Amino acid sequence: DVKVTQSSRYLVKRTGEKVFLECVQDMDHENMFWYRQDPGLGLRLIYFSYDVKMKEKGDIPEGYSVSREKKERFSLILESASTNQTSMYLCASSLRAETDTQYFGPGTRLTVL
Amino acid sequence: GEDVEQSLFLSVREGDSSVINCTYTDSSSTYLYWYKQEPGAGLQLLTYIFSNMDMKQDQRLTVLLNKKDKHLSLRIADTQTGDSAIYFCAESINGGGFKTIFGAGTRLFVKA
């Protein structure tokens, strides 16, 4: 079974704080993704990575950065959190581009006060 | 542009069949997926279908694909209260890279 874990289920931060969201997968997947989920908007892709140290912007990268130093770990960084970044953040991984089936972590609900 | 659309809400009675519909715009999609999200949880892959298939059945789940109309549906037979969740339709586009586009999700409410 594929396992994707996220460092926190719930997180509360203050405006201006630096926030790290960690994601780890244990199946040697090449691709990893960060999405945010907001009511009525579905899932929106923030960044994805197809290899160690490689990253590509998704649909809404502004205000976020990512880091992939090891294959199993993909971090999402909010350099200076703002209230409009309050959301559910979902990490996913997939084995190869040609299968594309993405497996999701449980999500991190981030609240920025 | 690429888009996946689905209705936001569906209500059924326990024991009835549920049909959740989805339309997509990109004809180069290779895989189409249905994910389930229960309250407070992440997305769980329910099933997927290759774009060259018309139908796939897996126990209570039946996926129908009409490629001509770009219409995908998920039928849940004998719907139970435990099926109450948000169901996401997604398409995978393979055009020199890869991209998965998700719909906004259909909230299924099962009345006891």
Side-chain angles (χ1 to χ4, degrees), chain B residues 42-60:
Chain B
L43 271 66
Q44 171 197 355
L45 178 65
L46 268 184
T47 186
Y48 65 92
I49 188 169
F50 296 105
S51 58
N52 63 358
M53 294 170 64
D54 298 324
M55 186 182 93
K56 182 178 180 181
Q57 186 149 6
D58 182 5
Q59 299 181 337
R60 292 190 298 124

Side-chain angles (χ1 to χ4, degrees), chain A residues 21-69:
Chain A
L21 302 182
E22 299 279 329
C23 175
V24 177
Q25 48 93 4
D26 66 356
M27 284 302 292
D28 204 33
H29 282 181
E30 292 177 3
N31 311 306
M32 296 188 75
F33 308 82
W34 275 106
Y35 293 90
R36 65 177 281 177
Q37 181 185 20
D38 301 289
L41 296 177
L43 268 66
R44 293 181 291 167
L45 181 64
I46 304 170
Y47 269 96
F48 69 95
S49 167
Y50 52 89
D51 201 352
V52 175
K53 295 193 187 296
M54 306 305 289
K55 60 186 179 185
E56 289 287 335
K57 292 180 181 179
D59 300 320
I60 50 162
E62 297 79 19
Y64 303 94
S65 61
V66 290
S67 170
R68 189 147 180 223
E69 295 298 318

Side-chain angles (χ1 to χ4, degrees), chain B residues 11-75:
Chain B
S11 175
V12 299
R13 292 198 178 278
E14 193 174 22
D16 287 351
S17 292
S18 309
V19 179
I20 303 171
N21 294 302
C22 168
T23 57
Y24 58 97
T25 56
D26 200 300
S27 56
S28 64
S29 59
T30 52
Y31 294 78
L32 295 122
Y33 305 89
W34 284 105
Y35 286 86
K36 177 182 181 182
Q37 183 182 35
E38 294 179 349
L43 271 66
Q44 171 197 355
L45 178 65
L46 268 184
T47 186
Y48 65 92
I49 188 169
F50 296 105
S51 58
N52 63 358
M53 294 170 64
D54 298 324
M55 186 182 93
K56 182 178 180 181
Q57 186 149 6
D58 182 5
Q59 299 181 337
R60 292 190 298 124
L61 305 179
T62 303
V63 179
L64 293 176
L65 175 61
N66 181 331
K67 201 169 180 183
K68 175 175 167 287
D69 294 338
K70 300 191 184 72
H71 183 266
L72 182 74
S73 68
L74 173 70
R75 179 177 180 269

Side-chain angles (χ1 to χ4, degrees), chain A residues 6 10 20 22 29 50 60 63 69-70 75 96 106-107 110:
Chain A
Q6 296 183 225
Y10 300 94
F20 291 89
E22 299 279 329
H29 282 181
Y50 52 89
I60 50 162
E69 295 298 318
K70 293 185 179 181
S75 303
R96 294 181 297 268
L110 172 68

